[in-house]
């Protein structure tokens, strides 16, 4: 193995790692992989074709000696303890100034801890979200790096070359210090959960309300993908409805158990939003729906106790039009909530995030890529300190023109027992956020009544307490 030869090292040659390293090699950077599994090492050497272009080893000394300085080593291993273990294994082989990049979905406080620890040893650590799944890793993911700004200059040319491109612009940017990259990726995933929930409930209402077949659903989602709803998730949803089952007759989607799994990033987004005090109800309910979905046997039992009445059917074209608007409206609310969380986290954790830039690097490569993101980026370019996307002049008309249909779809769903929690939370979030006066004055009165918790007044400054009449 040649020493000081390879530009980029990658640890973890699973599906993501193998695809990412081949992408690096395709972009004319000499890449070296490492994995404990000989099969994975050999598979990469074979697939790479030329060891001067891409090579692999199961020997950590050989791996680290093979890399040029400062070493740039990316980890694509499962988040959690394994990341700490790999760091410990690597440390004796590294020199000051070397760079470790964690490309997994690590929890952001773990990244802060690791960054501080490695900084004390003179090693630069990047928590870097990578989105786009296996295909993205191979053909161009969206990359969200955070860490030391100066050290990023060494990584920048490689990341810019391998990332997805939107109209020629790379979908990667230095996002901020410490765990900024992992945090942004976590919220990306929260938005991803919301968009997946929304596309699923819209499918439900179209199927139950207008009897759309899988072929028709394919047509509807495909045509939506040509319009303002253009997005990766709408695109793959259209593809899913076309897929025939190869184990039985019919379409695959109908044979899949309705229990959605999760690895935790959506839940972390909600948990941290609660800690920050930022409302993200569309994302929250997307997490809750995965939890409700897991209660399959309870749901089946409950349905027999509370049988659903007959659903009043709707003309197809009318329901499809309403659904399109409701989905668009709710997508806007999901992005608005996620970006609001990012704005607040940026202040709280000192990330100094540029929301326009973040929207830009989400325009291609990642799971939540959508036509809408170009408008979102414009909204934040025009007003970087925007409190909420909803307040942006770029979005006022888009929200107003979809509001009536969203209300129509939701009331139809509620009357007919079709759960639409994502749309409902999006609409209620909007109604609440745009209410100058909410009934929470009553909650303050109740708190003061039973617990002397005090309240403030509209008409004068100060903190008040009342001896309420029994
Ligand atoms: C991405 C995805 C990815 C995530 C999966 C699975 O951006 O490529 O967010 O990182 O791991 O979507 O997430 P769940 O298993 O939690 O659904």
């Amino acid at each position: 193995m040649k020493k000081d030869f390879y530009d980029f090292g990658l640890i973890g040659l699973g599906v993501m790692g193998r695809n990412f390293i081949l992408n690096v090699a395709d972009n004319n950077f000499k890449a070296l992989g490492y994995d404990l599994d000989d099969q994975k090492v050999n598979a990469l050497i074979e697939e790479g074709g030329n060891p001067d272009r891409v090579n692999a080893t199961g020997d950590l000394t050989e791996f680290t000696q093979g890399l040029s300085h400062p070493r740039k080593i990316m980890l694509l291993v499962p988040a959690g303890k394994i990341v700490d273990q790999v760091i410990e294994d690597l440390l004796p082989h590294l020199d000051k100034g070397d760079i470790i990049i964690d490309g997994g979905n690590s929890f952001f406080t773990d990244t802060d801890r690791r960054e501080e620890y490695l900084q004390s040893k003179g090693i630069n650590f990047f928590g870097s979200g990578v989105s786009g799944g296996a295909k993205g890793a191979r053909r161009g993911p969206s990359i969200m790096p955070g860490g030391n700004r100066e050290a990023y200059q060494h990584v920048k040319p490689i990341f810019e070359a391998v990332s997805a491109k939107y109209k020629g612009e790379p979908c990667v940017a230095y996002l901020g210090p410490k765990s900024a990259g992992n945090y942004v990726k976590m919220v990306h995933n929260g938005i991803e959960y919301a968009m997946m929930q929304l596309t699923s409930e819209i499918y439900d209402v179209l199927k139950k309300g207008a009897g759309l077949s899988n072929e028709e659903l394919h047509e509807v989602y495909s045509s939506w993908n040509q319009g303002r709803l253009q997005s990766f998730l709408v695109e793959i949803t259209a593809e899913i409805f076309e897929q025939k089952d190869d184990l039985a007759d019919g379409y695959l989607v109908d044979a899949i158990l309705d229990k959605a799994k999760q690895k935790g990033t959506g839940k972390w987004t909600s948990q941290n939003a609660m800690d920050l005090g930022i409302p993200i109800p569309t994302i929250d309910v997307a997490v809750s729906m995965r939890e409700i979905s897991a209660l399959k046997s309870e749901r089946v039992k409950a349905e027999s106790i509370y049988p659903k009445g007959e659903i009043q059917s709707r003309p197809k074209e009318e329901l499809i039009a309403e659904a399109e608007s409701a989905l668009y409206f709710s997508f806007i609310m999901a992005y608005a909530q996620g970006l609001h969380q990012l704005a607040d986290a940026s202040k709280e954790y000192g990330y100094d995030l540029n929301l326009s830039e973040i929207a830009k690097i989400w325009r291609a490569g990642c799971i939540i890529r959508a036509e809408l993101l170009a408008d979102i980026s414009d909204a934040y370019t025009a007003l970087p300190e925007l409190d909420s996307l909803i307040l942006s002049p770029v979005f006022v008309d888009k929200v107003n023109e979809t509001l009536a249909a969203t209300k129509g779809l939701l009331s139809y769903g509620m009357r007919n027992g079709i759960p639409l929690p994502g749309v409902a939370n999006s609409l209620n979030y909007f109604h609440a956020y745009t209410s100058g006066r909410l009934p929470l004055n009553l909650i303050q009165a109740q708190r003061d009544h039973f617990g002397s918790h005090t309240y403030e007044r509209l008409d004068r400054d100060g903190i008040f307490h009342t001896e309420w009449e029994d």
Side-chain angles (χ1 to χ4, degrees), residues 330-462:
S330 304
F331 274 3
I332 294 174
M333 295 304 138
Y335 283 117
Q337 293 166 26
L339 288 160
H340 199 185
Q341 178 169 355
L342 285 181
D344 202 67
S346 178
K347 292 186 201 119
E348 182 70 22
Y349 305 126
Y351 293 146
D352 196 19
L353 298 176
N354 178 334
L355 296 187
S356 170
E357 191 75 27
I358 291 169
K360 276 189 184 154
I361 66 167
W362 285 348
R363 287 176 305 178
C366 68
I367 306 295
I368 65 167
R369 62 185 184 254
E371 200 51 48
L372 248 175
L373 282 158
D375 295 326
I376 295 176
S377 173
D378 290 347
Y380 281 99
T381 303
L383 295 168
E385 300 301 323
L386 196 60
D387 286 320
S388 165
L389 198 58
I390 299 170
L391 302 175
S392 158
V394 179
F395 276 87
V396 173
D397 287 347
K398 297 183 197 305
V399 168
N400 278 331
E401 70 196 25
T402 46
L403 194 53
T406 308
K407 290 178 189 169
L409 187 86
L410 185 64
S411 49
Y412 168 70
M414 294 303 91
R415 278 199 311 277
N416 287 280
I418 304 169
L420 294 168
V423 176
N425 278 16
S426 299
L427 190 56
N428 278 317
Y429 170 80
F430 174 78
H431 284 326
Y433 188 80
T434 55
S435 294
R437 177 115 169 116
L438 285 169
L440 285 282
N441 49 326
L442 182 59
I443 292 180
Q444 283 297 77
Q446 290 165 335
R447 292 177 70 245
D448 193 56
H449 188 297
F450 66 64
S452 306
H453 292 300
T454 73
Y455 56 88
E456 292 167 280
R457 295 182 56 99
L458 285 169
D459 58 352
R460 64 199 74 193
D461 289 340

Side-chain angles (χ1 to χ4, degrees), residues 208 303 306-312 415-418:
K208 289 178 179 157
E303 191 181 23
Y306 298 99
K308 300 257 181 249
E310 199 174 316
I311 291 174
Q312 175 211 348
R415 278 199 311 277
N416 287 280
I418 304 169

Side-chain angles (χ1 to χ4, degrees), residues 105 130-133 185 188-189 192-193 261-265 290 367:
N105 283 327
V130 178
S131 179
K185 177 61 175 26
H188 164 284
N189 282 26
E192 170 185 307
Y193 273 48
K261 299 268 163 60
Q262 51 180 320
K263 293 200 199 76
T265 45
R290 293 202 188 189
I367 306 295

Side-chain angles (χ1 to χ4, degrees), residues 146-414:
N148 179 293
R149 189 186 281 274
E150 284 77 53
Y152 180 68
Q153 299 314 313
H154 296 287
V155 183
K156 190 177 172 199
I158 303 176
F159 275 4
E160 290 194 347
V162 302
S163 72
K165 307 290 177 303
Y166 180 86
K167 297 187 179 162
E169 287 180 56
C171 288
V172 58
Y174 171 79
L175 296 184
K178 302 181 292 179
S179 55
N182 282 122
Y183 194 93
V184 170
K185 177 61 175 26
M186 177 184 81
V187 173
H188 164 284
N189 282 26
I191 299 171
E192 170 185 307
Y193 273 48
M195 292 174 76
M196 292 169 81
Q197 171 60 31
L198 292 163
T199 47
S200 305
E201 58 195 60
I202 292 296
Y203 144 62
D204 200 28
V205 75
L206 289 175
K207 192 172 162 159
K208 289 178 179 157
L212 261 67
S213 64
N214 287 322
E215 291 93 329
E216 287 170 318
L217 286 162
H218 164 74
E219 291 302 326
V220 167
Y221 277 81
S222 299
S223 72
W224 286 353
N225 194 45
Q226 304 303 315
R228 61 184 170 177
L229 279 172
Q230 191 288 320
S231 56
F232 172 71
L233 285 166
V234 168
E235 179 190 329
I236 64 162
T237 305
E239 286 168 13
I240 287 167
F241 290 123
E242 263 195 317
Q243 183 83 38
K244 290 274 173 51
D245 193 349
D246 54 10
L247 294 179
D249 283 346
Y251 286 91
L252 180 56
V253 69
D254 296 324
I256 295 178
L257 179 66
D258 51 328
K259 271 171 142 180
K261 299 268 163 60
Q262 51 180 320
K263 293 200 199 76
T265 45
K267 183 183 75 178
W268 294 343
T269 309
S270 284
Q271 285 174 326
N272 185 255
M274 290 277 175
D275 289 343
L276 294 174
I278 293 295
I280 55 161
T282 308
I283 295 171
D284 295 338
V285 87
V287 179
S288 299
M289 284 306 289
R290 293 202 188 189
E291 291 156 2
I292 293 184
S293 84
L295 308 175
K296 173 81 175 174
S297 57
E298 290 177 46
R299 288 190 282 118
V300 170
K301 190 159 75 187
E303 191 181 23
S304 70
I305 299 171
Y306 298 99
K308 300 257 181 249
E310 199 174 316
I311 291 174
Q312 175 211 348
S313 70
R314 297 265 310 267
K316 278 182 188 165
E317 290 313 315
E318 183 189 293
L319 190 62
I320 291 168
E322 242 177 33
E324 192 270 346
S325 286
L327 189 54
Y328 188 68
F329 174 90
S330 304
F331 274 3
I332 294 174
M333 295 304 138
Y335 283 117
Q337 293 166 26
L339 288 160
H340 199 185
Q341 178 169 355
L342 285 181
D344 202 67
S346 178
K347 292 186 201 119
E348 182 70 22
Y349 305 126
Y351 293 146
D352 196 19
L353 298 176
N354 178 334
L355 296 187
S356 170
E357 191 75 27
I358 291 169
K360 276 189 184 154
I361 66 167
W362 285 348
R363 287 176 305 178
C366 68
I367 306 295
I368 65 167
R369 62 185 184 254
E371 200 51 48
L372 248 175
L373 282 158
D375 295 326
I376 295 176
S377 173
D378 290 347
Y380 281 99
T381 303
L383 295 168
E385 300 301 323
L386 196 60
D387 286 320
S388 165
L389 198 58
I390 299 170
L391 302 175
S392 158
V394 179
F395 276 87
V396 173
D397 287 347
K398 297 183 197 305
V399 168
N400 278 331
E401 70 196 25
T402 46
L403 194 53
T406 308
K407 290 178 189 169
L409 187 86
L410 185 64
S411 49
Y412 168 70
M414 294 303 91

